[in-house]
């Protein structure tokens, strides 16, 4: 069975994660409830004429995938697999607003055509002229993990040699206003936010896109090996430790073998209890990292986490800004990522040097 290697990464996020080494310009702004993307120079990657008609999520996806391909030193791939929670939500909002403003008459279909979830994967394929397998997963907070699992299985079974995998989501003003009404976004009265020790509900929201070139062969550009990915829809807080132990056991590992644990703390005290439970008990002696204070919460934020973990294994350095505790190890060979959203859609990803 083939191994799966991360040979190239590209990330566009609410931090400057392009044209930098690794988060040296990251800023933790705890006075915002919604973080916005730091845009690259789009015209370096997309013609201005095409760029004008694209939603920001599509543009960010194209740039992140181009960065990953360049990083892996490949020009094309056998397949493109994308994960997204809300797709091109801005264009969806635009189309629905046009319906209301024009009394359902004289509508141009452009926003509707560009609002579908698979627009990002399709645009990347058009740019690369890639006619291979192209699939988009829309599975809420495990959309990216579903794409990653699909890619890993295809490489293991020799169905593909190189696959571009990404997770991408954007914010829309109206959607965020609905999330605020539903209590999913942290209330501004609870700012400044202390994500690790939050006592209030609601998360800090964000947006972003991260892409990875996965290949069966190890190269000089290799970051890490993807050992395993697992998804569980519902888990009780009391079950989480046993679930992680079982996941590690299937990979012949135990808690002491994990050199760093990446947790998805987002400031929502109601669901961050899952992370608190394992960080204070099973993994109390393990270096712990967090990232949503930098990226914000969105359905595919775990793609940002994988980008961060891959960088840590390659550089063997952990930026101070992502440390959740002060424990350090001499080397970082095996990293476990755990994410969930509002107590549902739990995902575990294991990568190693």
């Amino acid at each position: 069975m083939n191994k799966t290697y991360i040979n190239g990464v590209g990330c566009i996020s609410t931090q400057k994660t392009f044209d930098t080494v690794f988060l040296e310009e990251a800023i933790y702004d705890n006075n915002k409830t919604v973080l916005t993307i730091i845009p690259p120079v789009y015209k370096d990657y997309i013609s201005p004429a095409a760029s004008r008609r694209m939603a920001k999520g599509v543009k960010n996806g194209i740039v992140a995938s181009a960065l990953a391909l360049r990083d892996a030193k490949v020009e094309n791939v056998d397949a493109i697999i994308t994960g997204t929670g809300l797709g091109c939500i801005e264009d969806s909002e635009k189309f629905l607003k046009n319906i209301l403003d024009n009394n359902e008459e004289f509508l141009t279909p452009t926003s509707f055509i560009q609002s579908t979830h698979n627009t990002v994967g399709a645009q990347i394929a058009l740019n690369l002229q890639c006619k291979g397998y192209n699939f988009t997963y829309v599975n809420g907070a495990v959309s990216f993990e579903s794409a990653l699992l699909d890619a890993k299985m295809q490489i293991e079974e020799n169905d593909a040699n190189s696959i571009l995998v990404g997770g991408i989501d954007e914010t829309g003003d109206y959607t965020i206003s609905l999330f605020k009404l539903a209590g999913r976004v942290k209330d501004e009265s609870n700012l400044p936010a202390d994500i690790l020790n939050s006592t209030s509900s609601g998360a800090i929201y964000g947006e972003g896109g991260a892409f990875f070139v996965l290949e069966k062969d190890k190269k000089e550009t290799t970051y890490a090996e993807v050992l395993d990915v697992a998804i569980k829809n519902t888990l009780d807080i009391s079950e989480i430790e046993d679930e992680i132990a079982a996941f590690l056991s299937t990979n012949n590992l135990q808690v002491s073998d994990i050199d760093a644990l990446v947790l998805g703390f987002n400031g929502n005290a109601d669901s961050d209890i899952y992370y608190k439970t394992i960080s204070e008990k099973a993994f109390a002696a393990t270096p712990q990292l967090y990232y949503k204070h930098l990226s914000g919460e969105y359905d595919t934020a775990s793609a940002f986490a994988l980008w961060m973990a891959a960088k840590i294994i390659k550089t063997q350095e952990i930026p101070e800004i992502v440390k959740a505790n002060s424990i350090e190890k001499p080397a970082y060979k095996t990293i476990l990522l755990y994410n969930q959203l509002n107590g549902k859609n739990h995902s575990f990803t294991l990568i190693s040097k």
Side-chain angles (χ1 to χ4, degrees):
M1 201 184 286
N2 293 324
K3 292 185 173 182
T4 306
Y5 296 103
I6 299 172
N7 285 347
V9 301
C11 182
I12 302 297
S13 69
T14 53
Q15 301 295 329
K16 195 164 188 292
T17 44
F18 53 93
D19 299 338
T20 59
V21 179
F22 181 32
L23 293 179
E24 67 271 22
E25 293 180 35
I27 296 163
Y28 176 19
D29 186 347
N30 60 356
N31 285 305
K32 284 183 182 169
T33 57
V34 181
L35 308 176
T36 51
I37 212 101
I38 292 181
V41 181
Y42 293 120
K43 68 175 179 7
D44 291 351
Y45 302 88
I46 312 162
S47 73
S51 180
R52 270 199 306 274
R53 296 192 297 275
M54 287 179 184
K56 62 182 173 181
V58 179
K59 291 191 281 193
N60 293 329
I62 289 172
V63 176
S65 63
L67 292 171
L69 290 164
R70 186 199 296 166
D71 194 26
K73 297 185 169 66
V74 297
E75 293 189 357
N76 217 321
V77 287
D78 301 327
I80 297 168
I81 310 175
T82 319
T84 181
L86 295 173
C88 302
I89 196 72
E90 269 194 337
D91 274 319
S92 302
E93 288 181 8
K94 236 179 258 177
F95 183 69
L96 293 171
K97 188 175 182 302
N98 285 342
I99 289 177
L100 295 172
D101 291 349
N102 298 317
N103 291 320
E104 302 182 22
E105 295 177 329
F106 317 121
L107 291 171
T108 55
T110 315
S111 293
F112 176 71
I113 293 163
Q114 293 181 337
S115 71
T116 57
H117 290 73
N118 55 6
T119 305
V120 180
Q123 285 289 355
I124 293 168
L126 281 169
N127 283 359
L128 295 177
Q129 287 299 298
C130 173
K131 298 178 175 68
Y133 178 89
N134 194 319
F135 206 87
T136 299
Y137 284 90
V138 189
N139 293 356
V142 289
S143 300
F144 172 66
E145 285 80 358
S146 302
L148 190 60
L149 196 53
D150 184 354
K152 188 174 183 301
M153 282 161 44
Q154 292 208 39
I155 287 173
E156 282 176 355
E157 299 300 328
N158 253 338
D159 289 337
N161 295 325
S162 63
I163 300 179
L164 186 64
V165 180
I168 187 136
D169 273 296
E170 62 182 27
T171 54
D173 293 341
Y174 186 67
T175 305
I176 288 292
S177 71
L178 293 178
F179 281 178
K180 284 179 177 174
L181 280 174
R184 288 181 71 168
V185 178
K186 195 169 282 300
D187 195 278
E188 291 188 357
S189 63
N190 292 317
L191 295 178
D194 178 1
I195 282 194
L196 284 180
N197 303 297
S198 175
T199 54
S200 57
S201 62
I204 305 299
Y205 261 74
E207 57 186 345
F211 274 80
F212 306 84
V213 175
L214 302 185
E215 294 183 300
K216 68 173 187 178
D217 296 319
K218 196 172 167 184
K219 306 195 301 196
E220 73 278 2
T221 63
T222 298
Y223 282 76
E225 181 192 343
V226 180
L227 291 180
D228 203 359
V229 183
I231 295 167
K232 277 282 191 302
N233 180 251
T234 47
L235 285 170
D236 280 333
I237 292 168
S238 59
E239 297 173 317
I240 194 69
E241 279 195 30
D242 290 342
E243 193 63 44
I244 289 178
F247 174 66
L248 293 176
S249 172
T250 59
N251 291 283
N252 301 316
L253 295 169
Q254 47 199 27
V255 169
S256 58
D257 296 317
I258 300 302
D259 299 314
L261 174 67
V262 181
L263 297 168
F265 282 103
N266 65 7
N268 181 0
D270 303 335
S271 58
D272 278 354
I273 186 76
Y274 279 94
Y275 305 126
K276 277 245 185 310
T277 301
I278 59 167
S279 68
E280 290 168 0
K281 292 180 182 172
F283 289 92
T286 306
Q288 296 167 16
L289 320 176
Y290 69 132
Y291 58 96
K292 287 179 184 170
H293 59 307
L294 303 180
S295 70
E297 176 66 274
Y298 52 98
D299 283 323
T300 51
S302 50
F304 181 92
L306 184 63
W307 171 83
M308 186 177 92
K311 284 273 195 182
I312 288 167
I313 285 182
K314 189 160 190 177
T315 62
Q316 287 296 301
E317 284 177 21
I318 298 180
E320 283 296 324
I321 200 166
V322 299
K323 290 180 180 178
N325 65 8
S326 55
I327 297 166
E328 291 184 356
K329 288 218 174 174
Y332 300 97
K333 292 178 179 172
T334 308
I335 297 182
L336 173 67
L337 294 85
Y338 168 46
N339 187 52
Q340 50 82 23
L341 182 58
N342 301 326
K344 294 268 173 73
N345 289 330
H346 304 261
S347 66
F348 311 98
T349 305
L350 195 58
I351 66 171
S352 78
K353 191 173 171 63

